[in-house]
Amino acid sequence: MYDIIIIGGGPAGLTAAIYAARANKKVLVLEATICGGQIVNSSKIENYPVAPGITGPEFGRILQKQAENLGAEIEFERALKITEKDGHKIVSTEDDEYETKAVILASGTEPRRLELENEEKLIGHGVSYCATCDGNFFKGKTVAVNGGGNSALHEAIYLSGLAKKVCLIHRRDEFRGGIDLVEKAKARKNIEIVLNATIESLHGDNKLESITIKQGSTEKTIKLDGLFVSIGREPKAKNLMPELDLDDGGFIEAGESCTTNVDGIFVAGDVRSKDVRQLVTATGDGAIAATAALHYLEKA
Ligand code: NAP
């Protein structure tokens, strides 16, 4: 039996693991892919105190090692379900069931999909959700970025240094992202901005060949080598535990104490309902959720 199982090995989850392990608790982190979370896609971190310029992968590696050195166990399995049994929690993965006294959910977010036919099939074959991960495959090619937030603007600017042409497609006539980034994108000669446009369909059998966009009543097909979808992120909280209170966006309700409505279940990082989703707030949540879980264990 574990004292605390942490679901998610990103900055929030691993920070929670550090705090719980330092308190001599038996801790398991369940991570579906690789440790570090979303930050592993960042080539450079400039806004985390004391570590200016550190790369995302390096940040993830150091954090993982720090948690392991303190005694936290890490298993690379996807948590699918949390249930209650005799006052304890059971966390089920595809192959195992783990018993624990408390759970900290730090499962993060995933890219929102366009929900178009063909989209799933073309992922990795022209459709991507991460320019820093896949941009290199499109050197000298023609790509599009869909979205109007800071991420889409960043991706378009980054890709303009690699691709021959970048088409930035946004559904409104005004960007959601900051004016500095908008001005920077506008200044790039190889970025074409297409406003009031939605992507209607993706074409290509084994790889993306073109997309059809709709602007007002006009439909147009554009030949492309790559499409980067950057239309926001969604919480990875669905179906884990139906008893948990979620907000309208599907994020887990908890407040600043990181304590959910279910006894013994805590939440940290981007999957929590909150205003500021940053590396520093994720690690802050990890510390708060672990402290709340430790108090819960003392009382139990
Ligand atoms: P975001 O700010 O939520 O922007 C999502 C964009 O996608 C919006 O422009 C939205 O259009 C569009 N969109 C949403 N659903 C769509 C759909 N189904 N079809 C077409 N377009 C759709 O998300 P984000 O850019 O990923 O940023 C997330 C957070 O991180 C934000 O708070 C952002 O400021 C922050 N961030 C900050 C930086 C930075 O450098 N400071 C960098 C990256 C991210 P509408 O505008 O019409 O809703």
Side-chain angles (χ1 to χ4, degrees):
M1 162 103 64
Y2 286 94
D3 292 311
I4 303 179
I5 288 185
I6 297 163
I7 299 179
L14 289 172
T15 303
I18 288 168
Y19 273 71
R22 287 193 76 232
N24 266 339
K25 297 298 170 200
K26 190 168 161 57
V27 179
L28 172 67
V29 178
L30 291 172
E31 165 54 49
T33 55
I34 56 166
C35 282
Q38 210 187 315
I39 202 67
V40 301
N41 301 324
S42 293
S43 51
K44 200 171 166 193
I45 301 168
E46 288 180 332
N47 58 2
Y48 195 80
V50 187
I54 189 170
T55 68
E58 186 65 359
F59 189 93
R61 268 194 301 276
I62 295 172
L63 198 49
Q64 176 179 351
K65 209 155 178 239
Q66 194 175 350
E68 284 175 329
N69 288 346
L70 287 164
E73 294 171 38
I74 301 178
E75 292 290 344
F76 291 91
E77 290 182 69
R78 188 180 298 278
L80 300 174
K81 206 168 49 159
I82 306 165
T83 46
E84 309 250 14
K85 188 187 156 198
D86 305 332
H88 297 137
K89 322 283 178 219
I90 306 287
V91 181
S92 309
T93 67
E94 217 156 68
D95 299 320
D96 292 297
E97 285 196 339
Y98 297 98
E99 202 167 354
T100 181
K101 295 174 191 161
V103 174
I104 297 175
L105 280 162
S107 45
T109 59
E110 60 192 347
R112 183 173 292 140
R113 304 281 163 101
L114 286 165
E115 308 292 347
L116 292 174
E117 211 186 315
N118 265 359
E119 186 175 359
E120 213 61 33
K121 190 176 95 178
L122 292 171
I123 294 173
H125 305 281
V127 173
S128 169
Y129 302 84
C130 175
T132 44
C133 317
D134 299 328
N136 244 13
F137 300 124
F138 298 90
K139 273 186 183 155
K141 304 208 166 170
T142 300
V143 298
V145 174
N146 188 208
N150 280 323
S151 301
L153 288 159
H154 265 298
E155 301 229 316
I157 293 161
Y158 173 74
L159 288 165
S160 70
L162 295 167
K164 182 171 74 184
K165 184 180 171 187
V166 180
C167 202
L168 176 57
I169 301 166
H170 177 38
R171 65 182 176 183
R172 289 189 295 134
D173 62 355
E174 213 178 290
F175 282 101
R176 182 176 292 274
I179 186 70
D180 50 332
L181 288 174
V182 174
E183 292 304 329
K184 207 167 168 186
K186 281 183 177 166
R188 294 287 165 106
K189 287 201 171 64
N190 61 343
I191 296 183
E192 181 192 352
I193 294 175
V194 182
L195 297 174
N196 296 312
T198 51
I199 299 179
E200 296 296 300
S201 49
L202 312 175
H203 313 291
D205 284 331
N206 302 318
K207 70 183 257 304
L208 181 75
E209 285 164 9
S210 61
I211 61 172
T212 298
I213 62 166
K214 192 171 177 189
Q215 259 182 318
S217 55
T218 313
E219 284 208 351
K220 184 161 97 175
T221 296
I222 308 171
K223 278 194 167 182
L224 284 181
D225 299 296
L227 170 66
F228 290 85
V229 180
S230 187
I231 59 171
R233 301 186 66 86
E234 292 190 336
K236 286 193 264 182
K238 251 185 250 161
N239 309 327
L240 265 174
M241 194 180 202
E243 296 88 336
L244 284 170
D245 282 346
L246 307 181
D247 70 12
D248 290 344
F251 294 89
I252 299 168
E253 296 273 20
E256 294 302 317
S257 70
C258 295
T259 303
T260 73
N261 62 308
V262 180
D263 230 25
I265 308 269
F266 305 86
V267 60
D270 284 7
V271 74
R272 179 167 79 82
S273 180
K274 58 169 158 174
D275 290 332
V276 183
R277 292 194 170 82
Q278 290 286 310
L279 192 49
V280 71
T281 61
T283 55
D285 269 12
I288 295 167
T291 306
L294 293 170
H295 285 151
Y296 169 82
L297 293 177
E298 266 169 33
K299 281 195 242 142

